[in-house]
């Protein structure tokens, strides 16, 4: 509460400033020599007492106590006196007139008299203090977000959380600033986000299109999804569509609504944008273009219109805006050589005068995106000058750009430039040195947050893992979620790092936000790795979220269920929660507002979880309800055989006695796709297929015995065996090893449940020097197939 004095030394409210000498009653109070004189004066003048008199009287009463030895103090006498009760009532009624210092002094004096914390005066004093501190807290957090330390950041977040928990009414702008602060410090701290989101939901009637657009944008940058808020936002924005009749309000509506609107609403927004486009200023044109990129707009008329506006306004844009313009035009596949040519001139002009490493890396990255761009001497000079100052994210941008230019020259049949090779070597050297010198895991994770791509995997990944291993003891409960989320993106199997994640989780599970368990479990599922005490690790994680399933976003619960299924864990309460009519209806509502890519991912994971439960946990009696969905996916497939598939099919034909003994691109029950299928009888002789078309097996052939065990497929001769032949490319394995990923292990498990013997052909075996001839391949396949039966 002393913070009120620091932040507002002059007071938040103006009140009459009286000195002791100019106020007779204050002078009389100051002349009292004991408590009874004060009480007598209060009793005679209680209708005249101002906020200053009340504060002065209570302060004087405490000064009398302070002068006495502790064992002679009469705090109970004072606290229980009838006139002290009057002073408390008057103080409570006059709180709003107290300045900050008087408020703090009053609270301290009352507490010194051992008045209970739940007393109405104490509660009102505390609440008013927090209201005043809260008014400046959100502004303070935004203003200093770029320069604060991690420890101060965490303290501010705690203050914000406490304010949201204790205040009855929280203004929308304050909650929005808290979210903006988290965006500025790039920290998706879920507890505070959830509390702010609750404030937004409680005040939806006050949200206009501008506020909705701001909040949705902040949520997107923090990768925070809340179904309830997005549904409410969508409904409110839909209601505003007919009222947005000027460029400013329409742009706000378009930015907020278009990415989550249905097909009809999107079409209406596009039509309105076409009608209003000529009135857009340069900011509005860019905002619309960015939203079109996000929603993957393919309306050629609108793309052409917005591109012409961007061309018109190019000279008005700052460097960072030029970068956004470039990215939008390229992603929207805008065919405008003249526009791209002007963009290149402007971007190079910005490079010539810029000295900030992050800006130079950004400008280089977007230059390389332009269709006919090239690396001239200006670009090389500017990049070369700042490389030692670049962080890993900037170096990744530069390296990716150089690789693009090299490949573009090769496609144009131009010889490789020595400049590219020299500059790329320097980028590699700077990145290696930076990793070797890294001594702070949190700073390293921050630099690596947006690093990805071919250069990262080929040049940096191994060195980065070594740096992580060197800093392994810096993995704590505070950063374990961020570390785990980054590690899974690399698909790199490093047992010491995974073991550390598991150890930290086991020790600090109660400090980890319940939905964060998904990020902790995912690496172990995807990388198909069991840590020491693996069963205890999974059990503790499952126990941590089991009682809080209702707090999960629907899509996240599906993803969590799938991750656990990959690892062969099927918590019954989670499975029953997901495959519940009410939950699935809620999931459907959320899918309508999720980005397309995430929508597709969640639908696919729900199908795969449904399949896994049907195959591995028939006792749950969960029905298979993805028949139509799988048939739709099957129809969308191209059905073309790759050169490798044709090669293996031909070799299988020679081994089995003809191509009609091996079926290509088969769909199993529950719609697993396998590369090849053949059937061997009990004497290991192949059985022919009469129809070589791609056939989906009849699900009626899949049945379970009374004991819940799969009993095989009807129609096969006694003793016959189906063989599934699967070619496993590099994506089926962890990045650095021949260890298969979790989904490959799960597929093998499920095919075996379906009655198949599974033959896996790893790419590193098929492409090895040992199998460099047709005879070697044939012998390899024979051994693989016939030894399985």
């Amino acid at each position: 509460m002393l913070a009120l004095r620091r932040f507002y030394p002059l007071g938040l409210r103006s009140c009459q400033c009286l000195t002791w000498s100019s106020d007779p009653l204050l002078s009389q109070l100051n002349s009292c020599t004991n408590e009874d004189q004060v009480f007598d004066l209060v009793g005679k003048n209680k209708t005249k007492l101002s906020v200053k008199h009340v504060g002065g009287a209570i302060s004087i009463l405490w000064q009398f106590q302070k002068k006495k030895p502790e064992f002679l103090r009469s705090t109970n006498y004072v606290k229980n006196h009838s006139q002290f009760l009057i002073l408390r009532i008057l103080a409570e009624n006059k709180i709003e007139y107290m300045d900050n210092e008087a408020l703090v002094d009053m609270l301290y004096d009352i507490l010194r008299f051992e008045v209970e914390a739940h007393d109405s005066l104490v509660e009102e004093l505390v609440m008013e203090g927090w209201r005043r501190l809260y008014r400046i807290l959100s502004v303070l957090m935004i203003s200093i977000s770029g320069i604060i330390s991690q420890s101060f950041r965490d303290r501010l977040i705690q203050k914000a959380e406490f304010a949201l928990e204790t205040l009855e009414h929280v203004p929308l702008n304050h909650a929005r600033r808290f979210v903006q602060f988290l965006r500025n410090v790039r920290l998706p701290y879920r507890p505070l986000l959830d509390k702010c989101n609750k404030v937004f939901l409680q005040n939806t009637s006050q949200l206009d299109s501008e506020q909705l657009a701001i909040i949705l944008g902040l949520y997107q940058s923090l990768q925070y999804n809340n179904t309830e808020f997005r549904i409410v936002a969508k409904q409110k924005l839909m209601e505003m569509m007919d009222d947005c009749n000027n460029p400013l309000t329409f742009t706000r509506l378009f930015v907020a609504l278009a990415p989550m609107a249905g097909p009809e609403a999107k079409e209406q927004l596009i039509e309105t944008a076409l009608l209003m486009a000529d009135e857009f200023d340069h900011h509005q044109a860019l905002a619309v273009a960015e939203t079109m990129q996000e929603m993957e707009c393919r309306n050629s008329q609108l793309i052409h219109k917005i591109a012409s506006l961007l061309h018109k306004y190019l000279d008005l844009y700052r460097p960072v805006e030029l970068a956004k313009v470039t990215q939008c035009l390229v992603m929207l596949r805008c065919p405008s050589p003249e526009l791209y040519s002007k963009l290149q001139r402007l971007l190079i002009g910005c490079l010539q005068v810029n000295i900030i490493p992050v800006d130079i890396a950004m400008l280089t990255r977007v230059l390389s995106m332009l269709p006919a761009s090239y690396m001239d001497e200006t670009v090389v000079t500017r990049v070369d000058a700042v490389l030692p100052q670049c962080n890993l994210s900037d170096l990744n941008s530069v390296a990716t750009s150089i690789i693009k230019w090299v490949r573009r020259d090769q496609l144009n049949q131009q010889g490789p430039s020595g400049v590219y090779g020299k500059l790329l070597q320097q980028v590699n050297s700077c990145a290696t040195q930076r990793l070797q010198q890294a001594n702070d895991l949190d700073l390293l994770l921050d630099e690596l947050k947006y690093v990805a791509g071919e250069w990262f995997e080929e040049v940096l990944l191994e060195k980065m893992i070594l740096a992580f291993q060197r800093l392994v003891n810096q993995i704590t409960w505070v950063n374990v979620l961020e570390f785990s989320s980054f590690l899974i993106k690399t698909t790199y199997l490093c047992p010491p790092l995974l073991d550390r994640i598991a150890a930290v989780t086991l020790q600090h599970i109660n400090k980890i936000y319940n939905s964060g368990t998904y990020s902790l479990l995912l690496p172990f599922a995807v990388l198909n790795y069991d840590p020491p005490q693996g069963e205890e690790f999974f059990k503790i994680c499952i126990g941590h979220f089991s009682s809080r399933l209702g707090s999960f976003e629907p899509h996240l619960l599906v993803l969590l269920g799938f991750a656990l299924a990959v690892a062969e864990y099927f918590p019954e309460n989670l499975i029953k929660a997901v495959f519940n009519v009410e939950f699935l209806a809620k999931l459907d509502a959320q899918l309508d507002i999720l980005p397309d890519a995430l929508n597709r991912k969640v639908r696919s994971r729900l199908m795969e979880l449904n399949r896994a439960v049907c195959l591995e946990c028939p006792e749950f009696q969960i029905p298979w309800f993805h028949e139509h969905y799988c048939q739709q996916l099957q129809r969308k497939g191209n059905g073309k055989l790759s050169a490798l598939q044709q090669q293996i099919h031909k070799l299988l034909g020679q081994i089995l006695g003809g191509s009609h003994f091996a079926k290509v691109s088969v769909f199993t029950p529950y719609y697993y796709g396998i590369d090849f299928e053949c059937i061997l009888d009990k004497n290991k002789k192949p059985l022919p297929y009469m129809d070589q078309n791609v056939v989906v097996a009849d699900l009626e052939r899949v049945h379970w015995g009374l004991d819940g065990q799969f009993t095989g497929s009807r129609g096969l001769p006694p003793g016959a065996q189906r063989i599934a032949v699967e070619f496993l490319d590099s994506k089926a394995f962890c990045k650095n090893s021949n260890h298969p990923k979790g989904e490959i292990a799960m597929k093998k498990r499920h095919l075996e449940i379906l009655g198949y013997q599974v033959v896996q052909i790893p790419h590193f075996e098929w492409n090895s020097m040992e199998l460099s001839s047709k005879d070697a391949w044939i012998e390899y396949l024979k051994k693989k197939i016939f030894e399985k039966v």
Side-chain angles (χ1 to χ4, degrees):
M1 200 62 69
L2 284 171
L4 285 170
R5 289 173 174 161
R6 295 200 302 272
F7 293 143
Y8 281 102
L10 298 179
L12 285 166
R13 295 177 172 83
S14 59
C15 57
Q16 187 178 7
C17 296
L18 299 174
T19 63
W20 294 96
S21 58
S22 63
D23 187 329
L25 188 52
L26 278 179
S27 297
Q28 291 178 58
L29 283 169
N30 196 38
S31 300
C32 293
T33 57
N34 59 56
E35 293 90 339
D36 290 330
Q37 290 180 6
V38 173
F39 288 142
D40 184 58
L41 200 57
V42 168
K44 292 177 180 178
N45 298 276
K46 53 188 167 188
T47 59
K48 303 177 184 178
L49 295 178
S50 69
V51 64
K52 210 164 187 74
H53 299 141
V54 173
I58 293 176
S59 178
I60 290 167
L61 288 169
W62 170 247
Q63 293 303 317
F64 290 149
Q65 299 298 316
K66 189 177 178 181
K67 292 174 183 178
K68 300 175 184 178
E70 190 167 347
F71 65 92
L72 291 177
R73 289 179 182 176
S74 53
T75 53
N76 283 334
Y77 168 74
V78 173
K79 180 175 68 173
N80 296 319
H81 199 283
S82 60
Q83 298 304 322
F84 189 76
L85 177 61
I86 289 173
L87 284 173
R88 287 163 54 187
I89 293 171
L90 289 170
E92 188 170 344
N93 292 334
K94 298 176 185 294
I95 283 178
E96 62 179 305
Y97 302 109
M98 296 180 188
D99 63 24
N100 292 328
E101 189 167 358
L103 184 77
V104 174
D105 289 342
M106 176 68 72
L107 178 59
Y108 276 151
D109 288 340
I110 290 295
L111 291 176
R112 284 164 178 154
F113 280 110
E114 299 178 359
V115 175
E116 291 81 359
H118 58 77
D119 181 83
S120 61
L121 172 58
V122 175
E123 290 181 345
E124 287 299 320
L125 287 168
V126 171
M127 291 296 291
E128 179 64 19
W130 273 113
R131 285 189 196 100
R132 298 184 188 186
L133 183 59
Y134 183 65
R135 288 184 190 119
I136 59 102
L137 178 60
S138 62
V139 177
L140 171 73
M141 290 171 72
I142 292 297
S143 62
I144 65 173
S145 59
I147 57 172
I148 59 173
S149 66
Q150 182 176 325
S151 59
F152 189 33
R153 176 201 72 187
D154 294 342
R155 287 170 59 195
L156 286 173
I157 290 173
Q158 289 176 359
K159 294 290 185 186
E161 280 194 275
F162 183 77
L164 290 170
E165 290 168 356
T166 54
L167 293 181
E168 293 181 6
H169 173 69
V170 180
L172 275 171
N173 284 340
H174 297 323
R176 177 182 56 77
R177 290 191 194 106
F178 289 150
V179 179
Q180 189 176 343
F181 171 79
L182 293 176
R183 192 275 312 271
N184 291 354
V185 299
R186 299 192 292 180
L187 182 70
Y189 183 66
R190 291 282 310 213
L192 181 56
L193 284 170
D194 286 344
K195 290 180 177 67
C196 292
N197 188 72
K198 186 177 179 181
V199 173
F200 299 145
L201 288 170
Q202 290 170 344
N203 297 275
T204 53
S205 60
Q206 301 176 36
L207 293 170
D208 58 23
S209 59
E210 180 182 13
Q211 291 169 316
L212 287 168
I214 291 171
I215 294 168
L216 288 168
L218 292 171
Y219 280 3
Q220 183 181 16
S221 63
L222 288 165
Q223 296 183 328
Y224 175 77
N225 275 304
N226 181 269
T227 304
E228 190 177 358
F229 179 79
R230 287 178 70 88
I231 290 174
V232 169
K234 182 180 178 181
Q235 290 172 342
K236 286 186 68 67
L237 291 166
M238 292 284 287
E239 293 167 3
M240 298 175 188
M241 285 182 69
D242 295 333
D243 299 327
C244 294
N245 49 19
N246 66 73
L248 179 60
T249 56
F250 174 75
T251 302
R252 290 171 180 165
L253 179 76
F254 188 88
V255 168
L257 179 57
M260 58 180 174
E264 291 183 9
K266 278 184 181 177
E267 192 61 34
Q268 186 178 340
L269 288 168
I270 288 171
E271 289 176 2
T272 308
L274 282 167
L275 293 173
M276 207 174 285
D278 290 330
E279 301 177 52
F280 292 159
D281 64 21
H282 66 291
H283 291 303
Q284 292 159 0
L286 179 54
V288 170
E290 288 186 282
T291 306
M292 290 168 62
Q293 176 193 339
E294 182 185 348
M295 60 190 277
E296 300 177 355
C297 178
R298 291 294 175 258
N299 186 291
S300 57
Q301 192 177 357
L302 184 59
I303 291 172
H304 176 76
K305 189 68 179 177
I306 295 299
S308 65
L309 284 174
L310 295 174
H311 196 170
K312 173 184 173 182
Y313 294 133
L314 272 187
D315 294 320
L316 300 177
Y317 291 123
R318 296 175 291 114
V320 67
E321 291 170 324
L322 286 174
K324 292 178 180 179
V325 168
T326 305
Q327 184 160 317
C328 288
L329 292 172
V330 171
M331 298 305 291
L332 291 171
R333 304 172 190 171
C334 176
S336 180
E338 184 182 350
L339 176 53
Y340 289 140
S341 179
K342 184 174 181 180
L343 262 174
Q344 175 150 318
R345 291 196 302 272
L346 290 172
L347 289 169
I348 290 177
C350 293
L351 262 174
Q352 288 174 329
V353 298
N354 209 307
I355 59 173
I356 302 173
V358 65
D359 289 348
I360 291 172
M362 172 197 68
L363 292 167
T364 304
R365 176 179 60 82
V366 294
L367 258 176
S368 70
M369 295 173 68
L370 293 172
S373 67
Y374 55 89
M375 180 179 269
D376 68 2
E377 189 175 342
T378 301
V379 178
V380 174
T381 302
R382 300 307 298 149
V383 169
D384 187 62
V386 300
L387 280 182
Q389 305 164 51
C390 287
N391 64 25
L392 292 169
S393 180
D394 299 335
L395 292 169
N396 183 67
S397 294
V398 172
T400 303
S401 303
I402 295 171
I403 292 169
K404 279 185 181 179
W405 276 312
V406 169
R407 288 187 175 157
R408 190 172 297 159
D409 286 354
Q410 290 173 344
L411 287 173
N412 295 330
Q413 297 183 339
Q414 297 179 14
S417 170
V419 174
Y420 292 145
K422 183 178 179 182
L423 194 59
L424 194 56
Q425 281 182 351
Q426 190 169 346
V427 172
N428 295 349
S429 175
C430 289
T432 300
Q433 186 177 10
R434 196 166 185 88
L435 279 173
Q436 290 172 344
Q437 294 174 352
N439 56 15
D440 187 308
L441 180 61
D442 292 326
L443 293 178
L444 183 56
L445 285 172
D446 191 56
E447 285 193 28
L448 290 166
K449 190 171 290 184
Y450 304 107
V451 174
E454 181 183 352
W455 174 79
F456 166 70
E457 292 179 0
E458 292 185 1
V459 175
L460 222 56
L461 183 55
E462 293 279 354
K463 300 181 180 72
M464 182 203 68
I465 295 296
L466 289 175
F468 281 160
Q469 288 182 272
R470 180 165 46 84
L471 303 172
V472 68
N473 290 330
Q474 293 186 29
I475 301 174
T476 66
W477 73 268
V478 177
N479 60 23
V480 69
L481 291 179
E482 183 181 3
F483 181 80
S484 181
S485 298
F486 178 79
L487 189 63
I488 192 56
K489 290 190 295 186
T490 69
T491 66
Y492 192 103
L493 179 62
C494 182
L497 296 179
L498 291 167
D499 292 348
R500 175 67 179 181
I501 291 172
V504 170
T505 302
L506 285 168
Q507 187 175 358
H508 300 287
I509 188 66
N510 291 328
K511 298 177 184 177
I512 294 169
Y513 199 64
N514 56 317
S515 62
T517 47
Y518 171 67
S519 297
L520 296 175
L521 291 167
L522 192 59
F524 299 91
V526 172
L527 300 175
N528 192 22
Y529 177 76
D530 278 328
Q533 299 178 300
E535 190 171 339
E536 183 184 357
F537 167 73
F538 277 93
K539 183 179 178 181
I540 283 181
C541 287
I542 292 169
H544 184 57
F545 65 69
S546 286
S547 61
R548 306 178 183 91
L549 293 177
S551 66
F552 279 75
E553 285 295 300
H555 78 286
L556 188 58
L557 199 60
V558 171
L559 297 177
L560 175 63
F562 174 74
L564 286 167
V566 171
E568 296 187 75
Y569 287 89
F570 295 87
E572 186 172 358
N573 63 336
L574 187 151
I575 300 302
K576 294 291 178 69
V578 170
F579 296 104
N580 170 284
V581 174
E582 185 179 341
F583 173 84
L584 292 174
K586 188 177 179 182
L587 178 64
D588 276 340
Q590 186 193 32
L591 290 173
D592 288 340
I593 56 174
L594 288 180
D596 289 343
L598 183 56
N599 183 311
R600 291 190 294 269
K601 178 180 178 180
V602 174
R603 289 184 187 277
S604 176
R605 292 308 192 215
L606 180 64
M607 179 276 289
E608 292 168 313
L609 178 59
N610 187 195
R611 177 170 60 197
V613 172
C614 288
L615 287 171
E616 299 197 58
C617 301
E619 67 275 13
F620 289 168
Q621 297 185 338
I622 302 297
W624 167 250
F625 56 91
H626 279 88
E627 184 83 11
H628 181 63
Y629 170 82
C630 291
Q631 288 175 354
Q632 285 181 316
L633 290 182
Q634 181 195 349
R635 284 193 289 269
K636 290 178 182 177
N638 56 32
K640 294 181 179 179
L641 298 182
S642 67
L644 180 64
Q645 283 179 310
Q646 293 177 31
Q647 177 196 25
I648 295 177
H649 186 229
K650 187 175 179 180
L651 293 172
L652 285 173
Q654 293 182 33
I655 294 169
L656 300 172
S659 60
H660 58 289
F661 286 99
K663 189 182 292 186
V664 187
S665 299
V666 177
F667 283 94
T668 73
Y670 297 102
Y671 292 86
Y672 265 122
I674 54 177
D675 294 330
F676 310 96
E677 180 190 278
C678 59
I679 302 173
L680 301 183
D681 67 14
K682 62 182 180 181
N683 297 317
K684 296 189 179 182
K685 291 182 178 180
L687 297 177
Y689 288 94
M690 300 306 296
D691 182 5
Q692 281 299 306
N693 295 327
V694 177
V695 176
V696 178
D698 187 354
L699 284 178
E700 291 181 358
R701 296 182 180 179
V702 180
H703 60 285
W704 301 89
L706 295 176
D707 59 353
Q709 296 299 309
F710 180 71
T711 58
S713 298
R714 299 179 186 145
L716 287 183
Q721 177 67 61
R722 291 187 188 273
I723 309 293
V725 181
E726 286 273 272
F727 180 81
L728 305 182
D729 61 15
S730 59
K731 294 179 182 178
F733 299 91
C734 298
K735 188 72 69 179
N736 58 311
S737 72
N738 298 333
H739 185 71
K741 292 180 183 175
E743 287 186 57
I744 299 300
M746 181 171 74
K747 182 176 181 179
K748 183 175 184 291
R749 196 164 70 237
H750 289 174
L751 290 176
E752 288 172 347
I753 291 173
L754 288 168
Y756 283 93
Q757 287 287 347
V758 181
V759 173
Q760 293 179 328
I761 305 174
H763 69 98
F764 51 84
E765 291 182 1
W766 188 257
N767 298 322
S768 66
M769 291 296 292
E770 295 177 5
L771 302 182
S772 56
S773 68
K774 179 180 175 181
D775 291 341
W777 281 323
I778 289 175
E779 192 60 34
Y780 172 83
L781 287 173
K782 280 183 179 179
K783 186 177 180 181
K784 282 275 189 179
I785 292 171
F786 291 104
E787 284 188 357
K788 274 286 180 182
V789 181

